[in-house]
Structures are given as structure tokens and as C-alpha cells.
Amino acid sequence: GESVGLHLPTLSVQEGDNSIINCAYSNSASDYFIWYKQESGKGPQFIIDIRSNMDKRQGQRVTVLLNKTVKHLSLQIAATQPGDSAVYFCAENMKGGSEKLVFGKGMKLTVNP
Amino acid sequence: GAVVSQHPSWVICKSGTSVKIECRSLDFQATTMFWYRQFPKQSLMLMATSNEGSKATYEQGVEKDKFLINHASLTLSTLTVTSAHPEDSSFYICSARASREAFFGQGTRLTVV
């Protein structure tokens, strides 16, 4: 199940289940979104991206859904494996004077064998 | 994908000293690099955007005189934490952009004692 603490919310699932990680982004003008996976003590690793002119994109075992109406992103991981345990962040490409990548709050996924 | 190398991966320094962190794009040229800071169990917070050959753009609340950024070439950006204090202890991560995609370094764990 999901729990929210003072910092990172956590999601615990059983191996083989499908996982859904949600993210709210802040800027309606953002035109590009990325999901990253971060393992302890490492930098973020690219998972999948989506442009604002799309509402769904599929990769290998992962799907990203974009709902611009409510500024919401989700990452679906099929057949979750223990190796998927990590912290997941969404990031939005904010347009302005210079484009910058701003990260959402993140969620820790724990996959139980 | 493209490789971004960050050095050192960890550093311990005494209060009052300065520390330099390097970020290199190894197989591509990056006109823009980003510096992030991450506290335990929190998301990545954008500190500044570094553009080759020009001054960095700092996010609100980030002291430009304390966090000196230099982007002297298309493959190298440096972050210098000046007069470091224990509250500067954190995980610092750089990112280099190649078109839309952003590639991340492995991070630098800074501990100020």
C-alpha cells in the first residue's frame, strides 16, 4: 500500500504486481515530461519521457500517462520486479527565459519478493 | 545514452574551506548544465542553470556568492561551495542537456565537519 510521511511517500507492492506512481506537476506551460529512477547514492536514471502533445507513451514494461487538464502524470510499471525498487521522480521542462528541468516530490517504490 | 561524469563522488571538508565539484559531459557537448541539491529523502532542488560562456542563472534563495558556478567549455561545468558550513552538507548532482534529454552525473556527497 501507499503511505505518506514527512518526506518521500512510499509505495509497497508484491513482486509481479503492476505499480502505478503518480505525480502532479506545477506549470501548465511545461511541454515535456520525464520519469526518472534514482537508486540510493546515485544520480537519476532516465526511464521514459512524453511530450505535451501526447497523452500516453509506452516503453518496455513502463507506460507514462499525461493528463494536462489536471496537470497529472503517472508511471505504470508492469510485472514489478525487486530491481524496480528505487525512488521515482517526475520532472517537467519549464519554459521561460531559459528552459529548466524541475523535479516533483518523488515516491519510493519497494517491491517485496 | 550520453555519459556525464561528476567528480568527486564524495568529499569531506572542514568548515570554512571551499570545495570544487566538476561535471563533465564525456561524449557530447552541452551548452546548458544544471546543478541540483538533494537532501535525504527529498527531491532534487534546482540550484542554478549554467550556460557555456555566460553567467549562471540562480534559482530564488540560492546564494550566488556561496555557490560559484563556472561553465568554461562545452564539456565542463564546475560548482564551488565557498566557506562551507555543516548545513551545506548534501548530495549535489549535475545534469547536462543534449537537445531535450538531460543526462545526470552520479552525484557528489559533500560532508562538512
Side-chain angles (χ1 to χ4, degrees), chain B residues 63-84:
Chain B
E63 299 175 58
K64 63 180 180 180
D65 294 329
K66 180 165 187 62
F67 299 100
L68 300 179
I69 291 172
N70 183 280
H71 193 162
S73 78
L74 288 172
T75 58
L76 173 64
S77 176
T78 61
L79 167 68
T80 302
V81 183
T82 62
S83 187

Side-chain angles (χ1 to χ4, degrees), chain A residues 58-70:
Chain A
Q58 287 186 295
Q60 189 176 17
R61 277 202 312 121
V62 294
T63 301
V64 54
L65 299 177
L66 174 63
N67 185 330
K68 292 185 289 294
T69 304
V70 294

Side-chain angles (χ1 to χ4, degrees), chain B residues 3 17 21 28 33 38 43 51 56 63 70 72-73 79 84 93 98:
Chain B
V3 178
T17 61
I21 302 169
F28 67 101
M33 289 186 174
Q38 186 178 30
S43 186
N51 294 293
E63 299 175 58
N70 183 280
S73 78
L79 167 68
I93 306 171

Side-chain angles (χ1 to χ4, degrees), chain A residues 47-90:
Chain A
I47 300 174
I48 191 169
D49 59 1
I50 188 168
R51 297 187 187 279
S52 59
N53 61 354
M54 303 170 68
D55 52 22
K56 180 178 180 179
R57 189 162 188 232
Q58 287 186 295
Q60 189 176 17
R61 277 202 312 121
V62 294
T63 301
V64 54
L65 299 177
L66 174 63
N67 185 330
K68 292 185 289 294
T69 304
V70 294
K71 293 190 286 186
H72 184 268
L73 268 172
S74 69
L75 176 71
Q76 300 177 0
I77 305 174
T80 316
Q81 302 167 0
D84 295 326
S85 295
V87 178
Y88 291 81
F89 294 99
C90 68

Side-chain angles (χ1 to χ4, degrees), chain B:
Chain B
V3 178
V4 174
S5 175
Q6 194 172 335
H7 177 81
S9 56
W10 61 270
V11 58
I12 301 173
C13 71
K14 291 184 178 180
S15 284
T17 61
S18 295
V19 173
K20 181 185 283 188
I21 302 169
E22 291 187 350
C23 180
R24 294 181 186 272
S25 55
L26 296 186
D27 49 3
F28 67 101
Q29 293 183 330
T31 54
T32 304
M33 289 186 174
F34 302 95
W35 287 95
Y36 295 84
R37 182 175 181 175
Q38 186 178 30
F39 291 108
K41 298 184 180 181
Q42 294 190 24
S43 186
L44 284 75
M45 296 299 297
L46 181 63
M47 298 174 67
T49 302
S50 165
N51 294 293
E52 186 266 337
S54 64
K55 290 183 180 179
T57 303
Y58 290 82
E59 294 299 301
Q60 194 173 8
V62 177
E63 299 175 58
K64 63 180 180 180
D65 294 329
K66 180 165 187 62
F67 299 100
L68 300 179
I69 291 172
N70 183 280
H71 193 162
S73 78
L74 288 172
T75 58
L76 173 64
S77 176
T78 61
L79 167 68
T80 302
V81 183
T82 62
S83 187
H85 292 287
E87 56 266 30
D88 298 324
S89 298
S90 188
F91 193 53
Y92 292 87
I93 306 171
C94 73
S95 170
R97 218 149 181 189
S99 65
R100 275 291 169 105
E101 280 196 67
F103 301 94
F104 287 81
Q106 66 269 43
T108 297
R109 172 74 59 195
L110 170 64
T111 303
V112 185
V113 297

